[in-house]
Amino acid sequence: MTTGQPGTGKARPNPAGPNAENRPTTGDNKPGPATDEVAKAGDATGTGGPKRGWTWINGVTKRGSAAKRAGTATSAAGAASTASTAGAASTAGAAKDSDAATGDNTRTDATKSGDPTKADNTKTGSTKANTTKADNTEAGSTKADNTKAGSAKVEDPVKGGDTKDGAAKSGGTATSEKPSQADGQAQTDGETKPADPDRWEAFASAPEPKPSIFSRAGRAVGRFLIHEWTLAALGSLALAVLMTWPTLRYPRYTLPQDYWDPSLQAWQMAWSGHILLTDPAHLWQSNTFFPELWSFAFSDTLLGYAPAGMLGSGPEDAILRYNIMFVLAHALATFGAYVLARQLGAGRIGAAVAGVAYTYAPWLLSQAGHLHVLSNGGIPLALAMLARGHGWSLRHGYRPERRHDGWVYGGWLVAAWQLSLGFGIGLPFAYFLGAAVLVAVVLFYVRRLRTRQAVPFGRRLFVADVLGGVLFAGVGLLMAFPFFRVTELHPYAERTIDDVSIFSPPPSGFVTAPAESWIWGGLHEGARAALPWHPEMTLLPGFVLYALALGGLFFSVWRLRHRLLLLAGVLVTMAFAMGTRFFDGTFTYVPLFEHVPGWSALRTPGRLMLWTTLLLGLLAAGAVTALTDRVRELTAQRIPSWPGPWLRMATLLPLLLVTVEGLNSTPHPVVPTQPAALRAAEGPLLVLPSSQNLDQHVMLWSTSGFPDVVNGGSGFTPRQLDDVRRVSQSFPNQTSVDYLRTLGVRTVVLLRDQVPGTPWEITIDAPVESLGITRQEVGDAVVYRL
């Protein structure tokens, strides 16, 4: 063996079998390119061995592998070894090369030294690096570019190493060959020859056109419209319109349930929107209960609806606004409960059952006149957003990879907004959030101690919880301050445990429906008559919901311990909803009433049934989800699958039953029209007769300009207003006129249609010249100017 002669190598056998690909392996046991033609002679040997033939790859021979600079061997795909030279290549102007066995069994017999080709130029005693457009060779290494069977004639490199007259064609791109120009031209012997155009280019598919900004926007809108949350929101809204009908039939003239408390709450939204636009500093000094201070905090304020109150003016717009928010409150409650059930792991139908049951439970039909009770959708929605932000679900547990601080911020914002709608529903929610945070922290560290591993939580999530909690607490304190001031100024306004006892329902209330229930209202008339105060004691969440929740204890997608926890929550919240009827409230309501700040303001414990309904809905969602999953498995396995559609339609039956049980027969009375005398009356004024219910109409009528009025209706009556009502029984006389002047009253409006049966039936037409006041007939009212 001469110096520079490569070592011999053996070709690896190809896989056996008729369908096996002819893929020779390289030196590193990697499959080489597939061979279409394999020589019958078997393998090729190195120098000194007998010639037994060589292998043709794809009908062509491949370019010989080249040694790297500095004489190192390269391992390319399809090459088993490369020829390397050391020292002088040859004497007498010829370099004698031995056969180099490559990975594709291509053999180079000889190279002509001294041939001025583009591949190599060799000199006696040394190999000089000659730079060409195809290859670069360095001293001490030779490179074979294009080989022909039986000769070392170097062919034109423009063809990429293709050989003529039976020569081997290159089956792949040589690693040592690099194009010299980017415009597709190869340079050889100082001449530039253009590369042949791709003959198959005409058959290529046309490039996809770039979408315009309008098409991209259209696709985004389309994806948004078919998204699950969009469909759920639209479905919740459509269902709310149908289930509250005919609220939107005459939305400017009628109110649901009655026109007492709804008139008050319509004024509350109008006042908050008006004062925040004109004089935000006097938000809590409303135009009613003149001249009382902090009068806007005499009852729950619905302050969170203030943006809606900024639209429109006058009583008719206030009624329209109330009816719209009434429908939207139902839609939000359905959507919020649906989202919460989905986040916890329920299926779509199961989550829909939870959402409908939570919103249209029969007991809530008796609360149709209390918008602050019906506005509870922020509770499940905030819980769902917080659970999603923390990567937690009831079905899958804690998944740190799903954490997202954006949802945490959103959850705390929604919770703060829910609290701003009123403490009657918001205060228990606030304490529930506080207890949930405490339990979550304890479980977090217990799990960390048990596993002895750092449970991932994240600094960003911690900051989001801290900032969100501070925001929530700040809103609560700002809302609570005026109520504490009212308690200081009017100590008699604070509730007592006797007040709570009046509104505490007995156990029979949990199976008694209100009169507004379309199905059960007439059937439960006798049961309602046995209740002391049935509007707050008929607490039936639905017999269908009871049945589904009971089934969820035995057949559910929730784990057994979660089912038991949900059941415990149902029983505990029922006990609290009974107030003093459960062992006199000694272990439930009374400790909260006496020791928890703000709890003494909650005189109607039956409204805690809201939490019972939500927990029952989650139990039902677990059962319905398990049912739908089982039906899906059965329809997938059944051949033929003709019963499949019927089985899937059967899973909608629980949703249908829950919806039907929530149908109502709520009345929608026409609101009394605003008297003409009040449209331009100057304040401060007093409207007679005055009472708790009649004054709520006056509050609604005062939305035309918001003049100061002495009248007002709320959860309690200030003593000064009691004095006004007592003294004004003899109006007009000198005593009542002097007293009203002392308060600052300048106008008294006496309504003729309310006079029959009152002391003013006799004195309404009496002369008033001796009293120093004037009297004027304006429509159906008499206006006295003091």
Side-chain angles (χ1 to χ4, degrees), residues 529-614:
L531 299 175
W533 184 250
H534 68 83
E536 296 290 347
M537 296 182 180
T538 50
L539 303 179
L540 175 66
F543 291 113
V544 175
L545 184 60
Y546 276 143
L548 293 175
L550 181 62
L553 293 176
F554 304 97
F555 180 70
S556 177
V557 295
W558 313 132
R559 294 182 177 91
L560 178 60
R561 66 174 183 272
H562 294 153
R563 287 178 250 168
L564 295 178
L565 287 175
L566 290 174
L567 175 62
V570 168
L571 297 178
V572 169
T573 53
M574 278 186 168
F576 279 97
M578 292 176 64
T580 58
R581 294 296 185 100
F582 185 80
F583 295 103
D584 296 329
T586 304
F587 307 104
T588 55
Y589 206 87
V590 173
L592 296 178
F593 187 88
E594 294 178 349
H595 303 292
V596 175
W599 203 272
S600 58
L602 307 180
R603 63 174 179 173
T604 51
R607 294 175 182 177
L608 293 175
M609 192 66 185
L610 187 71
W611 294 92
T612 305
T613 308
L614 182 60

Side-chain angles (χ1 to χ4, degrees), residues 288-289 690-692 695-696 699 709-714 721 725:
T288 59
F289 295 99
S690 175
S691 66
Q692 170 72 18
D695 283 1
Q696 291 175 335
M699 299 172 77
V709 295
V710 178
N711 306 74
S714 68
L721 181 56
R725 290 172 179 171

Side-chain angles (χ1 to χ4, degrees), residues 69-95:
R69 298 178 181 88
T72 60
T74 59
S75 298
S81 63
T82 59
S84 61
T85 60
S90 63
T91 60

Side-chain angles (χ1 to χ4, degrees), residues 205-228:
S205 59
E208 184 178 356
K210 183 178 181 181
S212 64
I213 186 174
F214 298 103
S215 61
R216 293 197 300 269
R219 292 176 184 175
V221 172
R223 289 192 298 268
F224 173 78
L225 292 178
I226 64 175
H227 196 277
E228 178 184 354

